[in-house]
Amino acid sequence: MANLRDLRTRIDSIKNTKQITNAMKMVAAAKLRKSQDLCINSRPYADYVERVLFLLQQKNNTKTHPMLNTPNPNGKILLVVVTGDRGLCGSFNSSIIRYTNQYMKDNNDKVYDLLCIGRKAYDAFKRSGKVVQHFTNISENTDIDNIYPVKNAVLTMYSSGEYSKVEIVYNEFKSAIQQELQCKQLLPIASTESESEHYVDFLYEPDEETLIEELCTKYINVELWHIMLESNAAEQAARMTAMDNATNNATELIDQLSLLYNRMRQAQITTEIIEVASGAEAIQQ
Amino acid sequence: MKKIHIELIMPEGKKIDEMVDSINVPGVDGDFEILPDHTPFITKIRPGTLCLNTNNKTTKYAIHDGFITVDKDKVIIISEIAESEKEIDLNRAKLSKERAEKRIFNSKDEDIDYRRAEVSLHKAVARINTIG
């Protein structure tokens, strides 16, 4: 029974893997709590920027600002793809990549470009020749300043007039065990007029155009930041679930293998006893 | 006496949520004071000191950017950075003021470095003035 030792080695290696997956689960759980809090705390801010923008739109009936109304309806589409930088988080990255591939297939007739956030998205699409810009290693740092380069890139590209709209694909954090893939239009900013809010005649300082310009920039910034937080929380949640499953599978495998190992050991001992006993028997006769 | 409800909302959450007598705000086109029954008003904030006055006591905050809306005795400020007096590190602010001044002095005007130095100078001055 030579493979008794092999079995032993296998059990040990699974035990090591289990320890790692368990540690990763703990880390993801701790990070999840942090990003979940941030995500929830940031909601009033994002909502309020949106509300002020809405109040301004109410007065400024023209809506001629390029960020509210596209200046070039036949332009290209810019698709912002948000994934994580690391793997081992279940279908978190792959579902985004699958969706983007499908999107590209469905919109074959239109011209589009990709802007990738996160290493996984860049790795998946760098050969397609569609990636115009990519950002990696920015999802872990949750400061709002951290998103400025992305915002600047998106706004510069959009204001060049080449693009008709900017869409963003990301995972929204639903709960610790559920993420939902979202595809949202980032620019031009969709009007939120459905709210039945009272009309107030506000005074503006300096003037409406300057305010709209500033607010739109801020809105994009906040929106991108909020999406990064959502995606970050979703990634941690996905990793936590994936690692929890991996740990459970490892436990199950260890149990099965231990059973097999013990049975084999028992069998070996029995054989040895029989051998010794029959040897002794032979000598007595 | 009538009071004003002020909320300061930051990306990290609500920083201020209280009732005050009056508010001094640094607006882009000049400082102004908000008293109860102010006309509905929206403006942008420039780096400076935000003062909340209640019962002759003043609480100061260094505020760096954002927007303010005044609507029926309810004032909402959205800002990315606002610090109370306790949170300001005076030495750091002084150092960054010096650094920014040096950079402005050395750089040619209108390039990015110049504008960034200008912004950080404004912020440093706002912090120092809030304490002083």
Side-chain angles (χ1 to χ4, degrees), chain A residues 124-274:
Chain A
F125 297 114
K126 64 181 164 196
R127 276 173 222 280
S128 69
K130 297 280 184 194
V131 181
V132 277
Q133 208 159 0
H134 65 99
F135 297 91
T136 50
N137 291 327
I138 61 162
S139 60
E140 292 270 304
N141 184 345
T142 47
D143 272 355
I144 196 162
D145 306 355
N146 200 38
I147 206 79
Y148 286 170
V150 183
K151 175 205 74 176
N152 288 340
V154 170
L155 287 182
T156 330
M157 276 188 250
Y158 181 74
S159 56
S160 71
E162 247 185 281
Y163 298 95
S164 63
K165 60 176 175 177
V166 180
E167 286 192 346
I168 186 159
V169 191
Y170 66 103
N171 275 310
E172 193 184 48
F173 175 77
K174 281 273 170 216
S175 72
I177 46 161
Q178 201 192 352
Q179 300 90 43
E180 203 175 278
L181 196 139
Q182 293 278 349
C183 185
K184 206 163 154 182
Q185 179 170 323
L186 203 59
L187 277 165
I189 296 166
S191 150
T192 46
E193 258 175 306
S194 54
E195 296 165 55
S196 57
E197 209 165 342
H198 62 290
Y199 178 78
V200 184
D201 197 7
F202 280 97
L203 283 180
Y204 299 98
E205 210 177 273
D207 54 294
E208 286 162 27
E209 266 84 82
T210 324
L211 274 180
I212 284 244
E213 170 88 40
E214 294 265 359
L215 258 174
C216 286
T217 317
K218 210 179 185 70
Y219 176 79
I220 293 302
N221 197 20
V222 169
E223 199 63 17
L224 275 172
W225 182 64
H226 192 73
I227 285 171
M228 288 305 289
L229 289 182
E230 288 273 359
S231 165
N232 200 7
E235 183 187 346
Q236 300 306 343
R239 178 163 299 126
M240 194 178 81
T241 335
M243 287 302 112
D244 189 41
N245 284 341
T247 312
N248 289 342
N249 285 345
T251 317
E252 211 173 288
L253 206 54
I254 289 172
D255 283 351
Q256 279 174 16
L257 288 176
S258 301
L259 202 67
L260 191 64
Y261 176 82
N262 288 335
R263 204 175 287 151
M264 273 167 103
R265 198 174 52 105
Q266 198 81 53
Q268 199 179 0
I269 291 169
T270 317
T271 335
E272 275 168 11
I273 289 175
I274 291 170

Side-chain angles (χ1 to χ4, degrees), chain A residues 55-173:
Chain A
L55 288 175
L56 270 173
Q57 268 175 282
Q58 208 176 33
K59 172 117 183 204
N60 186 357
N61 292 323
T62 46
K63 287 183 187 171
T64 45
H65 194 275
M67 284 197 209
L68 299 172
N69 231 327
T70 181
N72 179 9
N74 301 319
K76 296 195 267 183
I77 299 173
L78 180 69
L79 191 65
V80 184
V81 187
V82 188
T83 63
D85 288 313
R86 270 169 259 219
L88 289 181
C89 44
S91 60
F92 175 80
N93 292 321
S94 55
S95 65
I96 293 272
I97 291 165
R98 202 180 318 121
Y99 180 86
T100 311
N101 275 325
Q102 190 59 41
Y103 184 94
M104 295 202 283
K105 225 180 264 169
D106 293 347
N107 293 287
N108 231 343
D109 47 331
K110 294 186 193 118
V111 191
Y112 52 85
D113 281 329
L114 297 178
L115 188 146
C116 295
I117 301 177
R119 194 177 310 125
K120 290 288 164 188
Y122 181 56
D123 285 348
F125 297 114
K126 64 181 164 196
R127 276 173 222 280
S128 69
K130 297 280 184 194
V131 181
V132 277
Q133 208 159 0
H134 65 99
F135 297 91
T136 50
N137 291 327
I138 61 162
S139 60
E140 292 270 304
N141 184 345
T142 47
D143 272 355
I144 196 162
D145 306 355
N146 200 38
I147 206 79
Y148 286 170
V150 183
K151 175 205 74 176
N152 288 340
V154 170
L155 287 182
T156 330
M157 276 188 250
Y158 181 74
S159 56
S160 71
E162 247 185 281
Y163 298 95
S164 63
K165 60 176 175 177
V166 180
E167 286 192 346
I168 186 159
V169 191
Y170 66 103
N171 275 310
E172 193 184 48
F173 175 77

Side-chain angles (χ1 to χ4, degrees), chain B residues 15-35:
Chain B
K15 181 135 183 161
I16 306 172
D17 187 359
E18 48 189 281
M19 305 296 289
V20 295
D21 294 333
S22 73
I23 308 162
N24 292 79
V25 188
V28 258
D29 288 353
D31 292 6
F32 59 96
E33 184 168 18
I34 301 166
L35 290 163

Side-chain angles (χ1 to χ4, degrees), chain A residues 41-42 48 148 202-203 205 218, chain B residues 12 40-43 69 80:
Chain A
N41 286 340
S42 77
Y48 206 75
Y148 286 170
F202 280 97
L203 283 180
E205 210 177 273
K218 210 179 185 70
Chain B
E12 297 82 31
F41 184 58
I42 299 180
T43 193
T69 54
E80 273 165 38

